[in-house]
Amino acid sequence: MISKKMEGALNGQIQEEFYSAYLYLSMSAWFETKNLKGFANWMKIQNLEEQMHAIKIFDYINERGGNVQLQNINKPQNEWNSPLEAFEAAYKHEQHISGCFNDLVHLAMEEKDRASQIFLDWFVNEQVEEEATADEIVQQLRIIGDNGHGLLMIDRELGARVFTPPAQSDKNA
Ligand code: OFO
């Protein structure tokens, strides 16, 4: 059985993950308006990954005999001045999410909830990758600056991203 405190905090994180999904879907829509289909594809897949993160926490709360309570999701920003500005915002957002997971780990430690600590490890590791990927794209966009050709090259690269849903049996995916 999970403590009420831990349950509440994990419900809050479901909301964060769905907000992340919403934000990236909004970025995808904005990239579509700029005809940058590869960037739009990357963001749409990011949106699916975030939904998967939310469901992972949803399943965990249920598995521990807790009560999932979904919250409101705020309207995300829907316009950015440049692809660089959008990716800087994505990177900053991922740093915020990493902070959320650090707080959750601290709470799990306080609550002496070993199962939640182990569960949260997956997200802590995932955040290292999420931050690194967003930062890498920010750096590439800074290098190309106003070079349209460079932008199209990155667009082609991001267009190749595909979503791989985790195997049903693999709880650690
Ligand atoms: Fe972007 O990461 Fe979820 O957790």
Side-chain angles (χ1 to χ4, degrees):
M1 191 75 188
I2 199 161
S3 74
K4 278 288 154 206
K5 224 170 166 183
M6 199 69 229
E7 177 192 281
L10 288 169
N11 269 309
Q13 193 59 31
I14 291 180
Q15 181 188 29
E16 290 277 358
E17 298 298 327
F18 276 126
Y19 176 76
S20 305
Y22 227 35
L23 175 66
Y24 296 136
L25 196 58
S26 183
M27 287 180 175
S28 178
W30 181 76
F31 278 117
E32 284 284 350
T33 68
K34 300 291 160 202
N35 252 314
L36 290 165
K37 303 269 182 202
F39 281 90
N41 169 68
W42 193 95
M43 284 297 178
K44 208 185 211 174
I45 288 170
Q46 195 60 25
N47 149 69
L48 292 174
E49 291 224 340
E50 299 301 350
Q51 290 186 47
M52 189 191 84
H53 295 163
I55 297 299
K56 206 175 167 76
I57 303 169
F58 176 101
D59 287 343
Y60 176 74
I61 295 174
N62 286 327
E63 215 169 6
R64 296 286 313 279
N67 182 7
V68 170
Q69 290 196 336
L70 298 178
Q71 317 287 322
N72 288 335
I73 304 168
N74 287 336
K75 180 181 169 182
Q77 188 175 333
N78 52 28
E79 211 156 335
W80 292 267
N81 286 319
S82 64
L84 175 60
E85 194 185 278
F87 265 90
E88 280 173 341
Y91 178 47
K92 201 169 154 213
H93 183 69
E94 287 307 324
Q95 289 176 312
H96 161 71
I97 294 292
S98 298
C100 292
F101 280 110
N102 281 338
D103 291 346
L104 285 167
V105 169
H106 283 134
L107 179 63
M109 285 161 74
E110 266 170 38
E111 297 285 296
K112 299 191 168 51
D113 181 349
R114 187 74 187 119
S116 292
Q117 287 175 46
I118 292 167
F119 170 73
L120 290 165
D121 273 353
W122 183 87
F123 287 94
V124 171
N125 288 327
E126 175 77 2
Q127 280 311 118
V128 173
E129 199 184 305
E130 297 255 305
E131 278 193 38
T133 307
D135 187 37
E136 192 185 317
I137 299 170
V138 165
Q139 298 309 326
Q140 286 177 358
L141 287 168
R142 282 193 185 137
I143 288 168
I144 62 156
D146 286 337
N147 182 326
H149 183 65
L151 190 65
L152 289 179
M153 275 177 65
I154 298 178
D155 190 59
R156 198 172 314 148
E157 212 176 290
L158 300 185
R161 185 181 187 193
V162 287
F163 178 62
T164 326
Q168 207 53 25
S169 58
D170 186 0
K171 296 219 174 200
N172 293 318

